[in-house]
Each structure stands twice: as structure tokens, then as C-alpha cells.
């Protein structure tokens, strides 16, 4: 052993005798003596030391082997953790790439960027190769009126699906116009009242640049900040007139076409206590004009006027078109897409285009809205030859339709492609089909491309009879009537309960729409009560008639006279109900069709005289062509003369 091992074994002090030497009777001690004995070969303790060292070495090997084994296990665990992490990252990347790249055909754009406010988006816009077709798996996956990035799932060629991205940007600043308002002293008006005619593709936030001081009587200039979802800002300078306390501050309000009906505070102030006394939802602010409304303030009713003006010129996206086969210039509307305006817009040529010189031929397209505002765009026409008709692929060879349905559902059953790559409109030709009678008819899918080439494909249209029996109708009526009417009610109370329910004009009850079939009142009432929950005046009259006949009343349907229909441009339906007996009838008019708010009355138990007075009063309010209740009295029984429901809105002079 070396000196370090010797010291470890015997310590720092030299012993008088080493333990081994005592047994041998030797007195030489210390490390030097030990080395001397070792050199002479007389150290018998060396074998024991060697043996002990060997045992120690074995123990070291065992510990080293165990440590090596533990180290290997740790390496395996660490390797497994790293491998699992790499695997998870790989799977995530694969899923991300799968949505946009790996399984995305090369003819489908990985991203499509559009400007917010675009009215429509075709799935074909994502295709770079127009020989394929595409449709949205779910059209609710994105919104063209909100900025953002959306995942859009497409079905390609009617079979495989893939996911791409749609980016909706808003790079256009909002537009607004000053609106001078009148408020009470020390009021805190909403900034939105000071601006009108707001136009933007996305939602606009309105705020005061600096909070105005409205503590003094007089005119106060204000600056409004308009900010849309894209962060684009516009400032509008307006003015607030501060006055002393009054019930109503102004009786005239001007708004831009397309704006919402202003809150009643626009007339009575933000700290005023007022409400509209009519249904303002019946006012169409997309149509410029003057609208009279009633505002109730502290028990007093004021007539106020809402002026809808259109001062904003329409906008649109203009694209060049093609003159095929040396034909005529295409219709002007074909040049324009994505038209933006609050009112109806007509598209025309600003000047008649001519084929002068070589193509392309310049054209000027004019957009004119209901307010007379005009926008003129420059475009052009190229020329081409196309004699190849579009290709129609029929996916559904039969279409089912029920008598009385509002529309035939058929577009999902056909796909159209064209060599031009353009989207081709397809129509359903039902000439010779009587949709009012059950049977199997031959109809045609018709596709016509821009060059006038046309393809027709036959499809069978199965019209099913869905006649509504009295039992079916009464079953549907009973579920409602039993909740509205009780046996201890008077006739007038029953009429009032039914009227209030129907005229509420809500989707879960009966929502007014512009048109519905007028051929079968039982079917209309049944659909209104059970599934469709919507209809025009005919559906409201039919539903009322079904309820009252179930309750045991005699009723009959009434409509506007032929002469009045020609003057007003349409008809109107309501019913008469007998509150007397068969031998001594007491007929009254009942009309639950919702009326516009400025001319709304309780029309559930009216006499002939009241209807005539209302018609004259309404003509004076809205125009001589209204002719609302102008019916032919010779075709119906004379009403009772006793007035059961007063119409306070109509002055007595209209009864003369």
C-alpha cells in the first residue's frame, strides 16, 4: 500500500508497533518499517491487505455496476420524454399543415383575402383552377361583416373536403354626417345622436373627441370620432343646441337612409321620459321619405316626423366583360358586383357603348340609388368566341314539393360547369307544372353561359297533396285557443285576447312577411299555427278565422275592392265576425295584421263607419293610394252601428 493508504489504515501517529508486528514480536513501527518489511517480503499483513483491497475492489465494482445500471435507466427515461415531445410537436405540425397544405389540392388557394362588407362570397372564389367546383360545407363558418381570419371548409367536386382560410380586412374608413341635436341643459347625450348616415362595412364605435360642456344655454360645437373594426377613424364636426327644460325638444329628425330608427331620446332628450306609441319596426328606413310617428310624454302624445334622406352615392366593384361571337354588349348589371348602398340601386350605361375601332371597347357604367345619387365607373369589353354550352351534372333526378310550399328546394341537386371558367347561373323551368295539384311533372334544369349557349336537363318534379282537414286544423287551434280564452270571458274580451296574441308580430307566434299563398285559408292557418309561424295579411286573417270558428263564431273573409286594389297596387285581407245570432246578426270587422307604428289602431272590433274613417285618415297621413280598408260593402253584410272600441287617433271630422 502507498503512504495515503497507510495513513488511512493506521492514522497520522506512528504506533509503537503495528498490529501485525505485535503478533510477530517485532518492534519496528511506522511507514518506513512497513516498506522495509514489504521489500524484504516479511510483511505477512500484505496478504490480508490485498485480500481486503480485493474485497473492496469487488464492492466498488458492484456499486459501479449498479450506478451504471441506474444511469442507463435514467437515459432511457430521458430519451422517452424527448421522443414523446418530438412526437407531439410533429403531430401538431402535421395537423396544422393538414388543414392548409398537405391535403389541400394545389388548385385551392391556401388563403383568400377580401374586404369587409362584401355582400356575397362564392366557394369558387377559392379555386385557382375553374374546371373544378366547390361549395361551402357550412356557410356559417365566416362573417363578411367582421374583421378576422376564418377557417373555411370546402367540398370539392361534390366529393372530397378540405380546409382553407379566409381573411376579412377592413381598410376603408367609416363615413358619417353631422346631425344637430337639441338637448336640455346639463344633459349627457350619447355621442351617436350627433352623427347620422353612418356607412361602413363593419361595426362603428362613436365617441366625443372631447366631452362637451352642456351647462350653458346656446349652441355647442362638438367633434365626433368614428372608428370601425379595422381601426380606421373619421372625425365629424357637429353641433348641440342646449335649451331649457321642455317635454319634447324637437318634432323633426333627419336620418340617412339605412340608419336605424333613432331612440325616442332623439325627440325628448336623454333625460326625458317618453316612448313611441306605435310599432317603429314597420318603418323601412331604406326608402327615403317622410314618416310620421307618435311619441308619448307624461300622458301627452306628440306627432313627430322622421325624415329619411339618401345623400350617399352607391358603390360597387366593376369588372370587364366579354362580347361573345360578335354579339351585343352585355347588360350593364353584369359589369357590377358587391353594390353597397342603403337604398335600391339601378345599374345602366351612362352613355350608349359602341364598337369603334379595335377591342377592347370602353364603357361607362352608372349606378343610381333611390335618392338620385349617382356613381359612374369606367370599364371595357373584350371579344371572344364561345360555342360550347355549359355542362349540367344532375345530382338529384327527382324533386319533391308540397302543395302550398313557398318555394321549391332544388339547387343542391344540380352542378354546372363551363369552359369559360365563369360561374354560370342555373334555373329551374317549371313551365307546364301546376304546383297547386298533386302529380308528377317534367321540369328542366336550364344553364345559360355569357355567350348565350344553353343546356337543358330533365328532372322529375313530384307535387304532393298536403290538404289540411278540419280535424287537423281544429287540433292545431285547440292547443292555442285554450290558452287564450276562458268560458267566463265576454265576446269583446275574447276578441281582444286573440287580437293581442296575433298582432304581437313575433316569430314564435305569427311573424308578418310580405307574401304568402292566398288559395287555401285552412292550409295557411294550419301552417301559421304549426310550422311556418309567418305569413302576410291573408295568413293573419285565416288564422283569426280558424280560431273564432273553433270558438263557435260565424266569420267570413273580407278583402279590398278590385278598384282599390288597382289604385293601391295590392290587396288586403281581414275578417268579419258575428257577435249576435243567426237571426239577429251583429257583424264587426277584425284585423290582426300588424300595422306600421304611426297609423296603428286597435282593429279588433270595428264598424263600417270606423273602417271608412280610418281609410280616409290613413290616406291623408300616408298618401291617397293607401285605400287600406276600401272594400265593396255590397259584397258583405252591413256591420252593427254600435261602437265597441273607440279609435282615439282619428279626429271626428273623418266620420262625416
Amino acid at each position: 500500500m502507498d503512504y495515503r493508504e497507510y495513513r488511512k489504515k493506521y492514522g497520522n501517529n506512528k504506533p509503537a508497533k503495528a498490529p501485525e508486528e505485535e503478533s510477530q514480536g517485532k518492534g519496528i513501527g511506522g511507514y518506513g518499517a512497513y516498506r522495509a518489511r514489504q521489500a524484504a517480503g516479511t510483511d505477512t499483513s500484505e496478504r490480508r491487505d490485498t485480500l481486503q483491497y480485493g474485497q473492496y475492489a469487488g464492492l466498488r465494482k458492484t456499486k459501479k455496476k449498479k450506478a451504471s445500471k441506474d444511469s442507463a435507466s435514467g437515459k432511457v427515461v430521458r430519451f422517452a420524454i424527448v421522443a414523446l415531445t418530438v412526437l407531439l410537436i410533429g403531430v401538431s405540425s402535421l395537423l396544422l399543415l393538414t388543414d392548409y397544405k398537405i391535403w389541400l389540392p394545389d388548385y385551392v388557394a391556401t388563403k383568400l383575402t377580401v374586404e369587409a362588407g362584401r355582400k356575397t362570397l362564392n366557394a369558387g372564389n377559392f379555386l385557382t383552377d375553374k374546371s373544378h367546383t366547390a361549395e361551402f360545407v357550412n356557410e356559417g363558418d365566416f362573417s363578411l361583416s367582421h374583421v378576422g381570419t376564418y377557417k373555411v371548409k370546402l367540398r370539392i367536386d361534390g366529393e372530397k373536403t378540405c380546409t382553407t382560410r379566409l381573411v376579412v380586412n377592413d381598410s376603408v374608413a367609416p363615413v358619417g354626417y353631422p346631425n344637430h341635436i337639441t338637448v336640455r341643459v346639463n344633459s349627457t347625450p350619447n355621442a351617436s345622436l350627433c352623427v347620422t348616415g353612418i356607412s361602413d362595412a363593419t361595426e362603428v364605435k362613436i365617441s366625443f373627441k372631447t366631452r362637451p360642456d352642456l351647462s350653458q344655454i346656446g349652441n355647442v360645437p362638438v367633434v365626433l370620432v368614428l372608428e370601425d373594426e379595422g381601426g380606421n377613424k373619421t372625425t365629424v364636426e357637429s353641433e348641440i343646441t342646449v335649451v331649457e327644460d321642455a317635454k319634447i325638444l324637437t318634432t323633426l329628425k333627419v336620418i340617412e337612409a339605412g340608419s336605424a330608427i333613432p331612440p325616442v331620446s332623439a325627440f325628448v332628450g336623454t333625460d326625458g321620459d317618453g316612448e313611441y306609441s306605435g310599432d317603429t319596426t314597420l318603418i323601412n328606413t331604406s326608402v327615403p321619405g317622410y314618416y310620421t310617428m307618435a311619441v308619448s310624454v307624461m300622458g301627452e302624445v306628440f306627432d313627430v316626423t322622421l325624415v329619411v334622406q339618401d345623400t350617399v352615392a352607391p358603390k360597387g366593384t366593376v369588372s370587364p366583360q366579354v362580347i361573345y361571337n360578335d354579339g351585343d354588349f352585355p347588360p350593364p348589371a353584369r359589369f357590377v358586383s358587391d353594390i353597397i348602398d342603403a337604398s335600391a340601386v339601378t345599374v345602366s350605361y351612362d352613355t350608349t357603348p359602341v364598337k369603334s375601332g379595335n377591342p377592347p371597347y370602353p364603357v361607362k357604367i352608372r349606378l343610381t340609388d333611390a335618392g338620385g345619387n349617382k356613381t359612374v365607373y369606367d370599364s371595357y369589353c373584350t371579344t371572344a368566341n364561345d360555342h360550347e354550352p355549359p355542362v349540367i351534372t344532375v345530382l338529384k333526378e327527382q324533386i319533391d314539393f308540397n302543395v302550398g310550399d313557398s318555394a321549391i328546394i332544388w339547387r343542391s341537386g344540380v352542378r354546372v360547369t363551363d369552359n369559360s371558367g365563369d360561374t354560370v347561373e342555373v334555373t329551374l323551368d317549371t313551365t307546364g307544372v301546376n304546383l297547386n295539384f298533386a302529380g308528377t311533372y317534367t321540369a328542366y334544369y336550364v344553364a345559360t353561359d355569357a355567350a348565350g349557349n344553353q343546356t337543358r336537363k330533365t328532372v322529375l318534379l313530384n307535387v304532393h297533396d298536403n290538404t289540411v282537414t278540419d280535424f287537423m286544423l281544429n287540433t292545431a287551434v285547440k292547443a292555442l285557443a285554450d290558452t287564450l280564452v276562458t268560458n267566463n270571458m265576454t265576446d269583446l274580451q275574447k276578441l281582444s285576447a286573440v287580437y293581442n296574441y296575433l298582432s304581437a308580430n313575433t316569430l314564435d307566434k305569427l311573424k308578418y312577411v310580405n307574401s304568402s299563398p292566398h288559395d287555401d285559408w285552412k292550409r295557411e292557418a294550419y301552417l301559421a299555427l304549426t310550422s311556418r309561424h309567418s305569413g302576410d295579411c291573408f295568413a293573419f286573417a285565416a288564422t283569426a278565422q280558424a280560431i273564432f270558428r273553433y270558438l263557435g263564431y260565424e266569420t267570413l273573409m273580407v278583402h279590398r275592392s278590385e278598384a282599390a286594389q288597382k289604385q293601391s297596387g295590392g290587396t288586403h285581407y281581414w275578417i268579419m265576425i258575428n257577435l249576435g245570432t243567426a237571426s239577429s246578426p251583429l257583424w264587426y270587422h277584425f284585423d290582426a295584421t300588424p300595422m306600421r307604428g304611426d297609423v296603428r289602431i286597435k282593429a279588433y272590433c270595428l264598424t263600417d263607419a270606423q273602417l271608412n274613417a280610418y281609410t280616409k285618415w290613413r290616406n291623408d297621413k300616408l298618401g291617397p293610394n293607401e285605400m287600406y280598408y276600401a272594400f265593396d260593402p255590397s259584397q258583405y253584410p252591413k256591420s252593427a252601428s254600435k261602437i265597441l272600441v273607440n279609435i282615439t287617433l282619428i279626429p271626428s271630422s273623418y266620420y262625416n
Side-chain angles (χ1 to χ4, degrees), residues 551-581:
L551 295 174
Y553 292 93
E554 181 184 5
T555 65
L556 52 89
M557 193 82 75
V558 187
H559 64 80
R560 193 175 291 161
S561 68
E562 297 294 333
Q565 288 183 41
K566 293 179 182 179
Q567 183 174 340
S568 63
T571 190
H572 180 59
Y573 290 89
W574 66 97
I575 68 170
M576 294 187 75
I577 182 170
N578 183 10
L579 300 184
T581 63

Side-chain angles (χ1 to χ4, degrees), residues 121-162:
L121 182 68
N122 194 305
N125 296 133
F126 289 88
L127 300 179
T128 57
D129 182 353
K130 300 301 183 181
S131 65
H132 297 273
T133 62
E135 60 182 332
F136 294 117
V137 175
N138 182 7
E139 294 193 19
D141 284 344
F142 58 86
S143 170
L144 296 175
S145 59
H146 291 286
V147 171
T149 299
Y150 303 90
K151 284 187 178 181
V152 178
K153 195 170 185 179
L154 305 175
R155 182 176 289 109
I156 307 299
D157 296 332
E159 299 175 354
K160 53 190 174 184
T161 60
C162 62

Side-chain angles (χ1 to χ4, degrees), residues 583-599:
S583 58
S584 300
L586 295 172
W587 289 98
Y588 286 90
H589 295 271
F590 181 99
D591 182 13
T593 303
M595 296 180 180
R596 40 186 291 176
D598 51 343
V599 289

Side-chain angles (χ1 to χ4, degrees), residues 291-305:
Y291 299 90
T292 302
M293 301 185 296
V295 174
S296 177
V297 182
M298 301 174 64
E300 188 174 353
V301 178
F302 298 87
D303 283 337
V304 296
T305 301

Side-chain angles (χ1 to χ4, degrees), residues 443-509:
Y444 301 93
Y445 292 126
V446 181
T448 306
D449 64 18
N453 304 303
Q454 188 178 95
T455 301
R456 295 170 66 89
K457 286 277 189 173
T458 302
V459 62
L460 294 180
L461 179 56
N462 301 315
V463 180
H464 304 284
D465 185 8
N466 63 340
T467 302
V468 175
T469 65
D470 289 342
F471 176 79
M472 293 169 59
L473 182 57
N474 287 335
T475 301
V477 170
K478 183 179 187 302
L480 172 63
D482 289 351
T483 64
L484 296 178
V485 175
T486 59
N487 293 331
N488 60 349
M489 284 184 174
T490 64
D491 289 336
L492 195 59
Q493 289 173 332
K494 292 178 181 179
L495 267 63
S496 177
V498 174
Y499 175 85
N500 290 335
Y501 178 87
L502 295 179
S503 65
N505 194 33
T506 59
L507 188 59
D508 60 336
K509 297 174 183 177

